[in-house]
Amino acid sequence: MVTKSLLLLAALWTTIVNAETMEETIKRNPPRNISISHGSLGEYTLSWEGNCTCTEGIEYQLEYTYLDSKDNEMEMYYLQENQKVLDLELHRGLQARVRLTYGDNPGITSNWTERTFDLSGELFASVDNLICIFYGKLYMNCSWDVTEHASEGAQFNLSYRERNPSEVYNCTDYLVDGGRNIGCVNHKYRLGEATETIICISEVNKKDKLPYCRIVKPGSFYKLDSPMNVTINKSTDEVEWTLPKFGLNIICYNFQLNITNLNDRNSKLENVTTTNHFISRDHTKKYSVHVRVVVNDNCLESSIWSDWSKPLIIDPDGRDMSFPTIVAVVAVILVALVLLLVLVCMKCKLLSKLCQPIPDAEQKFKGLFEECNGDFQKWINKSIQLTNKVEDSSLATAK
């Protein structure tokens, strides 16, 4: 028993002495001289020097963050080697630090060795504000601004890749302004929506300039097609719509409805997670409804909404009229027409013209009725005889 106890005490003492020795060694040999070098498209190697000859249980702890990061969130790695290959958006500037750690005892560390890489914008391709939008799994559109530092003949190309630097893809169709490429349009991209992709703009005629790069997940910049076939059931006020096929489950989508009262132009937005929604409306007023969609954080969490759908116009509800109401309306219309006709006649004096008295034939032709009892033939013969007598009298007088 005594022997075993002595052995345990000896082992414990050895461990304590070794730990103290390791702690002193680590603290005396912090990493030194952090440097960075450029490799392939958007790829950089962070490296440093280390004097510590103690290798068993020793690791390097590397941390870095971008200078323009709002939350100063650190990326962290534990490494056996004194370098790390990284894909970086180096134009944003970089704060890096490294130290030695003892794996069996995280409290045993060296001091941090830090370095800031705040590189001039002139070292990179003369562009800024690189933005890419991905349309489902079909194609992408990218655009960028040319900075004031660009030379007159500066020309730019877009390339992209995933983690493997040997598989680089190039844009095939550019948007050109003033002879310069300022965008990549309708490009069929070949990478996964959930995989980090590094997209870089290189200045063709300035090989010494570093590429301007962004690291994105395509799914975070998805822009879906607009919802289609927006309809409403007027009896229940349920609005429904359909989606183009994207290959995602319905739980992946958030929808937004823009409901506008067209009488007073008041609008409201309503957020839903299904392809139908009951709206509240005044049935005596006219409305328009638009719908748009975005991928939510259940799947990819895009920050870009689709365009609004074509407007659904909802007219005020019609009212059914009873038979007495129809009769009354028709009667009112007829009376109105009669009154209108009378007014027109009075205005144009048509009544006096249309209502002239019928001439009395007995007054105009008294001989016909008083002497011949209305016998027209007898009256004619008598008139002829009378005319002949008058003519004979006229001849006799003339002689």
Side-chain angles (χ1 to χ4, degrees):
M1 290 292 294
V2 175
T3 304
K4 289 184 178 180
S5 298
L6 291 173
L7 290 173
L8 288 173
L9 288 173
L12 179 61
W13 175 255
T14 302
T15 302
I16 293 173
V17 171
N18 287 340
E20 289 179 351
T21 303
M22 184 64 69
E23 183 175 3
E24 291 176 0
T25 302
I26 289 174
K27 286 185 176 181
R28 286 198 309 267
N29 295 279
R32 297 178 294 118
N33 300 329
I34 301 176
S35 61
I36 192 168
S37 60
H38 182 236
S40 61
L41 184 72
E43 182 184 75
Y44 297 88
T45 300
L46 274 174
S47 60
W48 51 90
E49 298 176 4
N51 281 337
C52 186
T53 58
C54 45
T55 57
E56 185 176 351
I58 299 298
E59 290 181 320
Y60 293 103
Q61 181 181 349
L62 170 66
E63 296 183 352
Y64 74 88
T65 186
Y66 291 108
L67 297 183
D68 64 355
S69 177
K70 295 180 181 179
D71 53 11
N72 292 322
E73 181 179 354
M74 287 278 188
E75 294 285 343
M76 184 171 62
Y77 301 92
Y78 287 94
L79 307 165
Q80 297 292 330
E81 299 179 344
N82 62 336
Q83 65 177 19
K84 176 63 176 175
V85 179
L86 299 166
D87 291 334
L88 296 173
E89 300 177 5
L90 193 58
H91 66 275
R92 298 170 59 186
L94 199 72
Q95 177 70 46
R97 64 183 186 177
V98 64
R99 68 179 180 180
L100 278 173
T101 66
Y102 187 45
D104 292 339
N105 191 338
I108 299 178
T109 65
S110 70
N111 292 329
W112 288 106
T113 299
E114 301 184 1
R115 183 171 178 182
T116 299
F117 299 93
D118 189 7
L119 305 181
S120 168
E122 295 183 0
L123 295 176
F124 297 89
S126 305
V127 298
D128 200 2
N129 300 324
L130 172 61
I131 299 173
C132 293
I133 298 176
F134 298 82
Y135 296 84
K137 297 182 179 180
L138 299 177
Y139 61 96
M140 72 177 184
N141 285 346
C142 297
S143 63
W144 54 88
D145 298 330
V146 178
T147 68
E148 60 183 9
H149 303 297
S151 61
E152 184 176 350
Q155 186 56 275
F156 308 98
N157 286 347
L158 179 145
S159 304
Y160 64 99
R161 63 174 178 84
E162 291 183 335
R163 288 299 181 187
N164 188 347
S166 64
E167 295 181 3
V168 176
Y169 304 96
N170 299 308
C171 178
T172 54
D173 193 2
Y174 287 97
L175 177 64
V176 179
D177 181 32
R180 287 176 173 165
N181 296 335
I182 60 169
C184 175
V185 294
N186 300 327
H187 177 73
K188 174 86 174 167
Y189 73 96
R190 308 179 183 182
L191 304 179
E193 65 272 8
T195 305
E196 280 194 347
T197 300
I198 184 163
I199 303 173
C200 298
I201 307 298
S202 301
E203 193 161 337
V204 178
N205 51 345
K206 295 286 184 178
K207 299 296 184 181
D208 58 329
K209 286 196 171 186
L210 297 172
Y212 178 101
C213 300
R214 286 199 62 192
I215 301 172
V216 303
K217 288 184 178 179
S220 299
F221 296 90
Y222 261 14
K223 183 174 182 179
L224 303 176
D225 292 334
S226 304
M228 305 181 300
N229 305 321
V230 184
T231 60
I232 185 171
N233 184 334
K234 281 194 169 185
S235 62
T236 61
D237 287 342
E238 181 184 19
V239 176
E240 294 184 288
W241 56 91
T242 59
L243 278 174
K245 293 182 179 180
F246 299 124
L248 298 176
N249 193 289
I250 186 63
I251 64 171
C252 296
Y253 305 116
N254 285 347
F255 301 94
Q256 197 170 68
L257 280 75
N258 185 343
I259 306 166
T260 303
N261 183 328
L262 296 178
N263 293 87
D264 55 22
R265 295 295 172 180
N266 286 334
S267 296
K268 62 179 179 179
L269 296 177
E270 297 188 5
N271 297 305
V272 298
T273 57
T274 59
T275 55
N276 64 296
H277 182 63
F278 293 91
I279 66 172
S280 176
R281 67 184 177 100
D282 184 341
H283 286 230
T284 65
K285 295 183 178 180
K286 188 175 184 178
Y287 288 82
S288 70
V289 177
H290 299 76
V291 186
R292 63 180 181 176
V293 61
V294 70
V295 180
N296 61 33
D297 57 3
N298 290 328
C299 299
L300 301 171
E301 191 177 12
S302 174
S303 59
I304 302 175
W305 286 90
S306 74
D307 294 330
W308 289 104
S309 66
K310 293 180 180 180
L312 167 67
I313 304 300
I314 308 172
D315 292 317
D317 292 355
R319 296 181 178 178
D320 296 334
M321 292 189 295
S322 62
F323 181 74
T325 303
I326 295 175
V327 172
V329 170
V330 172
V332 169
I333 293 174
L334 290 176
V335 170
L337 289 174
V338 171
L339 291 175
L340 179 62
L341 183 60
V342 170
L343 289 174
V344 171
C345 290
M346 293 177 63
K347 185 72 175 177
C348 301
K349 297 182 180 181
L350 293 177
L351 288 176
S352 59
K353 295 178 181 179
L354 294 174
C355 301
Q356 293 288 336
I358 300 174
D360 187 354
E362 292 186 6
Q363 295 296 325
K364 293 291 184 178
F365 305 98
K366 291 184 178 181
L368 174 61
F369 293 95
E370 292 179 358
E371 299 177 4
C372 301
N373 294 323
D375 187 340
F376 185 77
Q377 187 62 44
K378 183 178 180 181
W379 180 67
I380 288 295
N381 292 334
K382 187 175 181 180
S383 297
I384 293 173
Q385 292 176 3
L386 181 60
T387 301
N388 291 334
K389 288 181 179 181
V390 172
E391 290 177 353
D392 291 340
S393 297
S394 299
L395 290 172
T397 303
K399 290 179 180 182

